[in-house]
Amino acid sequence: MPLTEYAAPFARLALTNITREYPNFPAHLISSADEGLRPRTLHPAFYGAYDWHSAVHMHWLLVRLLRRHGGTPALPDTAPLVEALDRHLTPEHIATEAAYLLDRPSFERPYGWAWLLALTAECRAYGGAAGARWTEALAPGAAAVDRLLAGWLPKATYPVRHGNHPNSAFALGVALDSGELTPGTDRAVRERLLAWFADDHDAPAHWEPSGQDFLSPALSEADAVRRVLAADRFPQWLDRFLPALRTGAPCPPLDVPVVSDHADPQIGHLLGLALSRAAALRSLAGALPDGPVRDRLTAAAEAQLAAGLPAVERGDFTTDHWLATFAVLALDPAE
């Protein structure tokens, strides 16, 4: 399923969301009666798309689509996208965002942090005058995340394993993929992932999914380990971690989730689960030699993608504000 046919509708969806201030779920701890609480005041760059992390990764989505398809028949009209990004990604706005993060070290940890690094990397890869402007503007935000990660990792004795935003494996995998970490922080992330996960085996995959997951705990962990374990050791690790893949036994993370109510904000997370599973399964398959396990993962990825894609654009903010990002992760894997 090529991304080409989705470029224009996904770009339209992202543009609508990053410029829509309300409804908004700011996750802001109010410390005094005098605070200005309007979303644009708190977050002049990332005030839209319902919540901060979604605003960040919908900006990432716009830049990714511009980089892949801008100026082609799939996405011919790029001026409104560039103009919106220019309005949001200014040095003044990102300075405010960086200060907010540093003042609140647990805010958006680690999911939103990772997406800010991914956005910075995508702007750098986009290049040209616009990409350079945005990358330079985002630099203080990326530096703030690096500093926060470096301070948090030594204290993160245990990973968060559930299938929502605090999931440690997913966010740190995105952070590594960005290439925006300083060498010391990159090394610390890799060491922490190995300390948490290298000895894991027999994942309780039969517990998946929980009722509001948008990430698979098992697949997110496996995909993080894929990034940090030697390539020749990874297939053996995966075999110990999910032995059902080799034996052919049922493996619930491969199954398409049942979504009983697409409009319910929490149950609707399961739509994202199908898409994030598709992305992880494709990455895991690519790390394995040819054979039945790789074939099984590939087939499961296609089934998950086919189930999740139709739900991306429904005209309902509960899914429209975030789901397209995960569709692109599945359709357009990291380089």
Side-chain angles (χ1 to χ4, degrees), residues 17-18 45-60 119 321:
N17 276 280
I18 67 167
F46 305 121
Y47 60 83
Y50 186 65
D51 47 31
W52 192 86
H53 52 260
S54 298
V56 175
H57 68 63
M58 291 298 259
H59 280 77
W60 170 90
L119 171 60
H321 80 273

XYZ file of all heavy atoms in Angstrom, residues 17-18 45-60 119 321:
175
model
N -5.406 20.002 11.918
C -5.256 19.724 13.341
C -4.227 20.603 14.028
O -4.458 21.051 15.157
C -4.935 18.242 13.547
C -6.188 17.395 13.575
O -6.874 17.333 14.587
N -6.512 16.768 12.464
N -3.101 20.868 13.392
C -2.091 21.661 14.104
C -2.516 23.114 14.269
O -1.980 23.828 15.120
C -0.707 21.594 13.422
C -0.709 22.283 12.059
C -0.210 20.158 13.344
C 0.683 22.514 11.488
N 3.887 26.986 19.707
C 4.148 26.167 18.520
C 3.185 24.994 18.436
O 2.639 24.686 17.371
C 5.596 25.662 18.524
N 2.957 24.322 19.572
C 2.248 23.044 19.574
C 0.955 23.132 20.388
O 0.749 22.401 21.353
C 3.173 21.944 20.122
C 4.488 21.852 19.389
C 5.693 22.015 20.068
C 4.514 21.648 18.017
C 6.904 21.938 19.393
C 5.724 21.579 17.326
C 6.920 21.724 18.020
N 0.101 24.051 19.988
C -1.146 24.292 20.710
C -2.312 23.489 20.154
O -3.369 23.422 20.780
C -1.509 25.785 20.655
C -1.715 26.316 19.248
C -2.932 26.154 18.583
C -0.680 26.954 18.562
C -3.113 26.614 17.289
C -0.857 27.422 17.277
C -2.073 27.244 16.637
O -2.245 27.687 15.357
N -2.175 22.916 18.972
C -3.307 22.287 18.303
C -3.344 20.785 18.484
O -2.661 20.201 19.328
N -4.206 20.158 17.674
C -4.294 18.688 17.607
C -4.648 18.048 18.945
O -4.214 16.932 19.232
C -2.992 18.093 17.049
N -5.382 18.761 19.783
C -5.969 18.237 21.009
C -4.990 18.135 22.171
O -5.304 18.485 23.286
C -6.624 16.879 20.761
C -7.380 16.318 21.947
C -8.519 16.953 22.434
C -6.964 15.152 22.577
C -9.209 16.439 23.518
C -7.653 14.630 23.657
C -8.768 15.274 24.121
O -9.440 14.772 25.198
N -3.767 17.619 21.937
C -2.794 17.526 23.016
C -1.389 17.733 22.456
O -1.166 17.663 21.251
C -2.898 16.208 23.795
C -2.998 14.984 22.899
O -2.438 15.007 21.788
O -3.639 14.001 23.307
N -0.444 17.999 23.356
C 0.881 18.458 22.936
C 1.591 17.438 22.062
O 2.132 17.770 21.008
C 1.714 18.779 24.174
C 2.979 19.526 23.893
C 3.115 20.882 23.788
C 4.290 18.979 23.706
N 4.434 21.210 23.545
C 5.174 20.071 23.491
C 4.797 17.680 23.694
C 6.542 19.883 23.268
C 6.160 17.497 23.473
C 7.010 18.592 23.258
N 1.610 16.195 22.501
C 2.359 15.207 21.728
C 1.763 15.010 20.341
O 2.495 14.826 19.363
C 2.453 13.871 22.472
C 1.148 13.330 22.947
N 0.723 13.462 24.245
C 0.165 12.652 22.299
C -0.448 12.880 24.381
N -0.816 12.386 23.206
N 0.430 15.066 20.234
C -0.189 14.921 18.918
C 0.153 16.105 18.026
O 0.383 15.940 16.820
C -1.703 14.776 19.042
O -2.045 13.618 19.777
N 0.199 17.301 18.607
C 0.592 18.466 17.818
C 2.006 18.303 17.285
O 2.292 18.604 16.118
C 0.493 19.734 18.660
N 2.903 17.797 18.132
C 4.284 17.611 17.691
C 4.344 16.597 16.562
O 4.962 16.832 15.517
C 5.187 17.194 18.864
C 6.601 16.889 18.363
C 5.233 18.300 19.927
N 3.702 15.455 16.746
C 3.879 14.444 15.691
C 3.035 14.715 14.452
O 3.374 14.236 13.362
C 3.758 13.016 16.211
C 2.434 12.530 16.687
N 1.336 12.417 15.888
C 2.067 12.033 17.902
C 0.342 11.885 16.585
N 0.755 11.657 17.805
N 2.012 15.557 14.554
C 1.336 15.970 13.326
C 2.179 16.991 12.555
O 2.124 17.049 11.321
C -0.051 16.509 13.634
C -1.031 15.440 14.117
S -1.352 14.119 12.912
C -2.942 14.642 12.262
N 2.987 17.785 13.245
C 3.990 18.598 12.542
C 4.997 17.683 11.828
O 5.376 17.939 10.678
C 4.730 19.511 13.525
C 3.982 20.752 13.914
N 2.942 20.746 14.814
C 4.130 22.052 13.530
C 2.488 21.978 14.976
N 3.186 22.787 14.206
N 5.441 16.665 12.529
C 6.348 15.680 11.911
C 5.716 15.104 10.649
O 6.394 14.956 9.624
C 6.644 14.565 12.904
C 7.369 13.389 12.315
C 8.721 13.227 12.233
C 6.780 12.220 11.726
N 9.011 12.024 11.611
C 7.848 11.398 11.297
C 5.474 11.794 11.516
C 7.639 10.159 10.671
C 5.255 10.571 10.887
C 6.326 9.774 10.478
N 10.691 15.138 14.989
C 10.359 16.313 14.180
C 11.628 17.059 13.775
O 11.778 17.473 12.608
C 9.428 17.232 14.968
C 9.152 18.607 14.360
C 8.507 18.490 12.976
C 8.274 19.435 15.299
N -7.073 13.544 15.121
C -5.991 14.386 15.628
C -4.677 13.631 15.766
O -3.648 14.258 16.094
C -6.386 15.025 16.971
C -6.252 14.137 18.167
N -7.251 13.290 18.582
C -5.231 13.956 19.052
C -6.868 12.641 19.665
N -5.641 13.017 19.975
